[in-house]
Amino acid sequence: MSSADFQPKIVGFLCNWCSYAGADLAGTSRTKYEPSIRIIRVMCSGRVDPTFVLEAFNRGADGVCVIGCHFGDCHYLEGNYKAARRMELLKNMLKQFGIEEGRFRFDMASASEGDRFAQIVNEMTEEVKKLGPYVKYEGAIS
Amino acid sequence: MAKLKVAGYWASSCGGCEIATLEIGANIVKLAELADIVFWPCIVDGKYKDVEAMTDGEIDLCLFNGAIQNEENEHQAKVLRAKSKVMVAYGSCSYEGCIPGLANVANQEQIFDRVFVSCPSVDNPDKVIPQTSYQAPEGELTLPKIYDTVRPLAAVIDVDYFVPGCPPTGEQTWAVLEAVVTGNLPAKGSIVGAGTRALCDECKRNKEEKKVKKFYRTHQIMPDPDRCLLEQGLLCAGLATREGCGALCPAAGMPCTGCYGPPDGVVDQGAKFMSAVASIVDSNDPAEIAVILDDIKDPIGTFYRYSLPSSILRRVQIK
Amino acid sequence: MKRVTVDPITRLEGHGKIEIFLNDDGEVANAYLQIPETRGFERFAEGRYVEDLPQITERICGVCPEAHHMASIKAVDAVYNIDPPPTGKKLRELLYSTFYVTDHATHFYALAGPDFVMGPDADPAIRNIIGIIGKVPDIAVRVVNARMDCHKIIEMIGGRKIHPCGGVPGGMSHGITEEQRVHIETVAKDMIEVGKLTLKVVDDIVLANKAYVDLILNDAYAHATYNMGLVDENNKVNFYDGKVRVVGPDGKELLKYEPKDYLEHVAEHVEPWSYLKFPYLKKVGWKGFVDGIDSGVYKATPLARLNASDGMATPLAQAEYERFYSTLGGKPVNATLATAWARAIELVYAAERMLELSQDPDITGPNYRVIPTSTPNEGVGIVEAPRGTLTHHYKTDENGIVVKANLIVGTTNNNAAMNMSIKKAAQGLIKKGTEITEPTLNMIEMAFRAYDPCMSCATHTLPGQMPLEVIVRDPDGTELTRARRNM
Ligand code: SF4
Ligand code: SF4
Ligand code: SF4
Ligand code: FES
């Protein structure tokens, strides 16, 4: 597949209060962004277990992003700090698993930042396009 | 009541699980009263041909240890599955892949290259690599094919029960045998021979507040002998590990490395361990968080020491 | 060409295979011992924390994890350029001596023992540990109990019974109390009695029987190869520490090297028909599967260690060492089957050493560990595993992450010698027109069982469980006759 035809599948875990609202805003205000993202709404970025991210890759995502509120804005006060710690370690770990850095991103967007949301999606899509599809390797097992 | 027919077997295994079954000690005699050991190379005569000649389901219970790394392992697993009514993955290797499953950071070609060509002691200018079929002057010699990916037993056959541990303890092993022999079996797919909660629940160390500014490696500090090791910054897997061993390693001053696999309700032991570690980082500053966590240089070897082949990602990606 | 497949593993099994080829005259043309597994520890050690390797590499073998744990932790000490304090070192050696007692006892009684105690041509149904229990029940019970006692001590010092966790660079993760020491001392005294008993078994059952002595001295079981073993500063056998000494078939010292210099002296040859490599002495060179002073093949077994040393460092073992050589005609002894006796002598030494260490005032000391401070780099650790000199070699980056690991595992040392022993025994026992019977097969297998057929590091086959099947085929693979046994 040439990179031009490749439409990446990006799974985005968005927190209900800020980033999902931001995505909504991007939609209602007709901000243009790549149709690559599949949004999964979670109550808070602190609710995103690393298992979700791993499972997304396992089920065929070419990239995964987790987007929460800005620090200080989390509806549950500490949730996004928690996420920041987990996602940092997860990022290091994915690298060791041979999953390129560009395929995973933890970021923040507020309810009023529809543009920022669109920008995150566009940037990621472009990077993942460069990387190509995520093809699971298993090698010979029979 | 007719005596039960019991079998034991090992695939790609270190032999430690076999030694562990011997740890049931005097109970071997009791076992012999309740069951006929039709096939268990470590305890009685192995009669391989007899096993192959058995009808399907003739063996009541098979304890299988070792992971699936080559075609023979897989073949054996399938034959024994057909012959056995109850198939138990015994020990961490067959349950989750275990330490030999760390081979999933590489593939067969990379392993062969290291072992047979690029090891510093190897003298192999012609780059000779062992072959599955080789024509010696006197005739053909064959070797089983080694796979690229190590898999737990349940990835190749249907498994009824799982016994965790590298290796399982003797007491736990006896409890499992007794349960099976007396027909006192839990639901299919259960983990047997261990508890359900996390290891921390049976660990005797004092637990206070878990807030850590710096993680240490085992050679870097002499931990306080009584306090929780994780609280002291050592990467102890207790929160992400099933209870059952009696918390042996923390009792000896070493962090648990997770050999009993995940506790009930946890899918991916490594992800759980990782989350537990990340969440005790005592900082809200992303830059500082990055610095603290950057000290963890080997996430796979730390978080997935025993469970890489049964984790969600199963192996490292190779292009 | 006809083929005899001595496949202890058959289709259903999996950890080792002997192929014997007959020529058109019905004589043995060649024999191969094939090892069908390699798990790649050298590769996946890469990227790990070096201090984690003592707990990772021990999963190579669940029969001798203590040996890997020790070789590994010594290599890590070297990587961090740190020397453990006396208490730390002695605790390690105490653990290791305890392990040697159980391991040698297991091998002696469960594995090689049945051939002698029950007789090499005894009914296979009783030629095993069960047979021994029937014939000498008191001894069997003692041995089983000794194993359990020793395992408890291993857990006491090393944290776990199988796959210890207690080794840390610079020492051990914890010390022992006076109460524990007293317990260990009591067990050690008992182990010396087990050792004496074992020597008596050698005397009463083997040496008193001329047929066995003849079998030991039978040329079919002799191999004049080099001998390797770890020795202390007085050239006495040592399991935990020292220099590697190599003595030739002529009894002369060829080499004595520091662990860190092993690459100058040992290299590994690869054959396309086995996953196990063939180490040899570089100075002499790889000349193929031949013995003699011009072939770099060496042995690293209890017998080889005795040959490579000038004696034992403890009194009872030393006395027996002297008797060994005076009975068998002086040094070196090349009779493979004398290995069982050599193992009994080592068992006595291990028990005596265990007692010495349990009485050492340092052993309960508080300084069992020091923290390394230097930048990690590269290191080699060598111990004498029951199945041969065990070498671990690691190189790390400045963070102590392994960039390269090399392992020369106990059994591997003997790979070439085992192949040769099997071939020679087969040639001696299978002659034109001989019917290949079960005892013949067992006697061939005895040749390699002497090296320690449990061979766990390489084949993961455990005591007393080698079912054996011989299939004679014509060149196109049609089965002509079949003989089999299960031990
Ligand atoms: S689970 Fe552990 S003890 Fe059992 S075979 Fe695997 S490595 Fe050995
Ligand atoms: S984290 Fe480790 S040391 Fe702490 S309580 Fe749990 S098992 Fe014990
Ligand atoms: S403490 Fe952890 S690693 Fe140690 S034996 Fe128990 S479960 Fe296994
Ligand atoms: S609610 Fe948005 S990150 Fe917590």
Side-chain angles (χ1 to χ4, degrees):
Chain A
M1 196 183 327
S2 79
S3 62
D5 319 329
F6 167 53
Q7 248 326 310
K9 286 193 287 293
I10 294 174
V11 172
F13 293 98
L14 273 53
C15 89
N16 184 49
W17 305 99
C18 295
S19 37
Y20 190 79
D24 227 19
L25 179 66
T28 49
S29 50
R30 311 209 170 197
T31 312
K32 265 201 140 151
Y33 64 90
E34 294 273 355
S36 55
I37 192 149
R38 275 68 168 165
I39 295 174
I40 297 175
R41 177 156 50 147
V42 290
M43 289 314 281
C44 171
S45 66
R47 175 67 186 87
V48 179
D49 192 293
T51 313
F52 300 176
V53 177
L54 302 176
E55 202 52 80
F57 280 116
N58 192 38
R59 297 200 189 176
D62 300 302
V64 181
C65 60
V66 177
I67 310 178
C69 312
H70 287 284
F71 288 131
D73 294 347
C74 171
H75 198 79
Y76 305 94
L77 307 174
E78 284 283 318
N80 51 3
Y81 287 115
K82 231 170 147 182
R85 296 177 201 124
R86 277 195 196 134
M87 297 308 145
E88 174 67 22
L89 191 48
L90 179 61
K91 186 188 83 194
N92 295 346
M93 193 179 89
L94 289 173
K95 231 188 292 173
Q96 205 188 10
F97 268 99
I99 296 177
E100 300 90 339
E101 262 190 282
R103 293 192 193 277
F104 175 67
R105 179 159 173 172
F106 172 63
D107 218 316
M108 289 157 181
S110 74
S112 60
E113 291 178 319
D115 291 350
R116 187 177 162 88
F117 169 77
Q119 190 196 345
I120 293 171
V121 174
N122 290 341
E123 281 174 13
M124 235 195 126
T125 306
E126 201 182 315
E127 268 193 78
V128 175
K129 267 191 178 166
K130 270 191 241 150
L131 292 168
Y134 170 68
V135 186
K136 270 189 288 176
Y137 173 88
E138 197 159 41
I141 48 164
S142 64
Chain B
M1 190 184 85
K3 273 175 131 186
L4 293 176
K5 291 183 179 170
V6 176
Y9 193 70
W10 73 103
S12 188
S13 127
C14 81
C17 276
E18 296 285 321
I19 303 274
T21 52
L22 291 178
E23 301 276 329
I24 69 172
N27 284 323
I28 289 178
V29 180
K30 241 197 253 170
L31 179 68
E33 284 166 15
L34 296 164
D36 280 328
I37 302 169
V38 291
F39 176 70
W40 193 338
C42 149
I43 294 179
V44 299
D45 303 348
K47 299 183 180 66
Y48 297 100
K49 279 284 176 284
D50 298 352
V51 173
E52 282 190 89
M54 284 177 181
T55 54
D56 283 1
E58 195 174 328
I59 297 170
D60 291 294
L61 163 73
C62 177
L63 291 189
F64 191 104
N65 75 76
I68 308 298
Q69 190 174 25
N70 65 39
E71 54 177 334
E72 278 201 15
N73 301 152
E74 187 172 356
H75 170 80
Q76 293 149 15
K78 287 178 175 160
V79 171
L80 280 163
R81 171 67 275 189
K83 309 291 179 195
S84 308
K85 282 198 196 80
V86 176
M87 174 58 91
V88 177
Y90 178 82
S92 173
C93 280
S94 56
Y95 165 38
E96 37 172 15
C98 197
I99 284 177
L102 285 174
N104 287 358
V105 300
N107 62 12
Q108 188 252 37
E109 188 189 335
Q110 293 171 327
I111 286 175
F112 278 21
D113 178 71
R114 171 46 44 90
V115 174
F116 300 113
V117 181
S118 68
C119 266
S121 52
V122 162
D123 172 29
N124 189 4
D126 300 333
K127 300 197 167 33
V128 172
I129 296 278
Q131 305 294 320
T132 49
S133 168
Y134 172 70
Q135 215 43 57
E138 301 86 5
E140 190 198 15
L141 292 167
T142 59
L143 289 170
K145 176 173 172 177
I146 292 179
Y147 296 150
D148 282 312
T149 301
V150 175
R151 287 170 296 169
L153 186 61
V156 298
I157 59 164
D158 183 39
V159 174
D160 299 304
Y161 300 101
F162 302 87
V163 181
C166 174
T169 66
E171 302 82 60
Q172 300 281 20
T173 303
W174 175 240
V176 172
L177 286 170
E178 211 172 25
V180 177
V181 169
T182 57
N184 219 339
L185 280 166
K188 183 180 157 99
S190 298
I191 309 272
V192 287
T196 55
R197 302 169 309 169
L199 185 82
C200 294
D201 285 317
E202 63 175 348
C203 175
K204 299 215 169 51
R205 288 180 173 264
N206 302 328
K207 294 125 200 152
E208 292 159 38
E209 202 197 4
K210 291 190 176 38
K211 282 254 170 253
V212 168
K213 275 260 186 244
K214 177 163 174 55
F215 290 106
Y216 295 97
R217 285 160 58 180
T218 50
H219 67 287
Q220 291 173 324
I221 54 162
M222 287 194 214
D224 176 299
D226 302 317
R227 189 170 174 211
C228 164
L229 295 168
L230 187 60
E231 290 170 12
Q232 301 181 62
L234 288 168
L235 295 167
C236 183
L239 284 165
T241 301
R242 186 178 292 270
E243 63 180 344
C245 71
L248 288 170
C249 300
M254 293 297 277
C256 167
T257 48
C259 85
Y260 263 66
D264 270 12
V266 174
V267 188
D268 187 296
Q269 187 185 23
K272 170 79 183 170
F273 188 4
M274 203 205 86
S275 284
V277 165
S279 57
I280 65 166
V281 168
D282 186 15
S283 171
N284 280 345
D285 168 20
E288 193 188 24
I289 291 171
V291 169
I292 295 172
L293 291 173
D294 202 38
D295 270 344
I296 299 170
K297 301 262 187 249
D298 177 21
I300 289 181
T302 305
F303 303 132
Y304 289 99
R305 178 81 63 87
Y306 301 87
S307 65
L308 184 57
S310 59
S311 67
I312 292 173
L313 294 176
R314 292 189 299 277
R315 60 163 300 119
V316 164
Q317 299 301 303
I318 292 166
K319 288 234 157 55
Chain C
M1 196 171 277
K2 277 182 195 166
R3 168 191 297 216
V4 183
T5 305
V6 182
D7 191 347
I9 308 317
T10 72
R11 190 65 187 98
L12 236 181
E13 241 284 293
H15 313 293
K17 185 162 76 167
I18 298 170
E19 294 263 12
I20 298 173
F21 290 97
L22 305 183
N23 63 21
D24 293 338
D25 292 336
E27 284 169 350
V28 174
N30 211 345
Y32 296 87
L33 167 64
Q34 294 181 271
I35 306 300
E37 269 194 323
T38 182
R39 294 186 294 158
F41 276 80
E42 290 94 332
R43 176 60 180 77
F44 65 75
E46 230 172 79
R48 309 285 77 79
Y49 285 149
V50 72
E51 70 275 10
D52 285 349
L53 291 192
Q55 286 191 59
I56 289 177
T57 56
E58 65 190 354
R59 267 69 180 197
I60 289 171
C61 174
V63 179
C64 65
E66 294 85 352
H68 286 283
H69 196 68
M70 290 299 158
S72 183
I73 198 61
K74 286 179 70 185
V76 182
D77 284 345
V79 162
Y80 280 105
N81 195 15
I82 194 167
D83 213 16
T87 299
K89 242 187 221 173
K90 287 173 184 173
L91 280 170
R92 288 184 189 171
E93 195 185 344
L94 177 55
L95 186 160
Y96 201 45
S97 303
T98 311
F99 154 69
Y100 247 89
V101 171
T102 74
D103 193 88
H104 271 9
T106 305
H107 185 278
F108 185 91
Y109 290 98
L111 210 63
D115 290 326
F116 289 109
V117 178
M118 308 311 292
D121 48 10
D123 178 354
I126 58 157
R127 196 180 54 222
N128 54 28
I129 183 74
I130 312 286
I132 293 205
I133 293 174
K135 188 159 174 182
V136 281
D138 302 355
I139 297 180
V141 168
R142 290 233 35 200
V143 173
V144 169
N145 288 338
R147 262 190 68 90
M148 302 230 291
D149 288 342
C150 288
H151 264 123
K152 274 184 210 135
I153 293 173
I154 290 169
E155 180 174 302
M156 194 180 276
I157 304 170
R160 309 180 75 213
K161 285 196 184 81
I162 299 167
H163 301 317
C165 63
V168 286
M172 291 295 284
S173 67
H174 66 112
I176 56 169
T177 63
E178 172 59 18
E179 197 186 329
Q180 290 174 321
R181 187 203 67 75
V182 170
H183 171 77
I184 297 170
E185 187 180 8
T186 318
V187 174
K189 284 182 181 149
D190 194 40
M191 291 309 119
I192 291 182
E193 295 309 313
V194 170
K196 286 185 190 157
L197 194 76
T198 309
L199 294 179
K200 198 164 167 320
V201 171
V202 171
D203 252 347
D204 295 355
I205 299 180
V206 183
L207 298 181
N209 186 329
K210 185 167 176 317
Y212 289 168
V213 177
D214 288 348
L215 188 66
I216 291 177
L217 297 176
N218 184 333
D219 189 55
Y221 293 113
H223 265 294
T225 66
Y226 284 90
N227 300 278
M228 179 182 281
L230 205 59
V231 293
D232 67 13
E233 59 279 6
N234 302 315
N235 286 342
K236 304 274 173 137
V237 169
N238 199 294
F239 299 142
Y240 174 73
D241 219 354
K243 289 186 183 166
V244 178
R245 191 176 190 223
V246 179
V247 167
D250 54 357
K252 293 206 185 85
E253 177 180 304
L254 173 80
L255 298 168
K256 194 159 141 185
Y257 64 85
E258 296 268 4
K260 66 173 173 46
D261 300 325
Y262 84 104
L263 281 176
E264 287 167 33
H265 304 291
V266 178
E268 293 175 290
H269 170 81
V270 178
E271 286 284 344
W273 45 265
S274 180
Y275 287 131
L276 196 64
K277 296 179 273 191
F278 300 88
Y280 63 92
L281 302 164
K282 268 180 147 171
K283 196 167 170 182
V284 193
W286 173 258
K287 306 282 162 60
F289 296 91
V290 286
D291 59 8
I293 203 145
D294 298 322
S295 165
V297 172
Y298 64 90
K299 287 191 289 258
T301 62
L303 175 62
R305 289 193 281 269
L306 263 47
N307 283 336
S309 71
D310 292 344
M312 312 301 288
T314 55
L316 265 176
Q318 172 62 21
E320 190 69 8
Y321 179 96
E322 285 163 22
R323 194 167 75 105
F324 178 83
Y325 283 107
S326 63
T327 309
L328 296 176
K331 274 171 79 175
V333 166
N334 291 323
T336 312
L337 296 186
T339 307
W341 188 1
R343 191 170 286 116
I345 297 171
E346 286 195 338
L347 197 169
V348 172
Y349 164 71
E352 286 183 293
R353 191 72 193 124
M354 196 180 155
L355 182 63
E356 278 176 12
L357 288 160
S358 72
Q359 294 171 334
D360 192 301
D362 283 340
I363 206 78
T364 49
N367 302 319
Y368 45 80
R369 164 172 194 194
V370 285
I371 295 289
T373 50
S374 68
T375 310
N377 184 357
E378 186 169 0
V380 178
I382 293 187
V383 295
E384 207 44 61
R387 294 148 195 91
T389 314
L390 171 61
T391 307
H392 281 221
H393 175 194
Y394 312 142
K395 193 169 167 36
T396 72
D397 67 9
E398 73 282 1
N399 290 314
I401 304 287
V402 177
V403 293
K404 208 155 191 182
N406 193 29
L407 309 166
I408 301 180
V409 172
T411 301
T412 312
N413 291 295
N414 299 309
N415 197 6
M418 284 189 295
N419 269 275
M420 289 154 53
S421 290
I422 289 159
K423 180 176 171 186
K424 192 166 176 187
Q427 281 173 333
L429 295 161
I430 301 178
K431 291 282 185 252
K432 187 176 173 151
T434 5
E435 194 198 340
I436 299 162
T437 59
E438 197 282 331
T440 316
L441 300 179
N442 186 46
M443 280 158 79
I444 292 168
E445 211 197 343
M446 275 167 71
F448 97 102
R449 194 176 303 136
Y451 293 90
D452 200 340
C454 104
M455 300 227 310
S456 315
C457 290
T459 72
H460 327 299
T461 310
L462 282 147
Q465 48 169 296
M466 290 296 244
L468 195 55
E469 187 158 61
V470 176
I471 305 165
V472 184
R473 298 176 196 275
D474 66 14
D476 60 17
T478 315
E479 189 174 314
L480 298 175
T481 55
R482 177 187 287 244
R484 62 176 277 214
R485 69 178 180 77
N486 302 290
M487 0 172 346

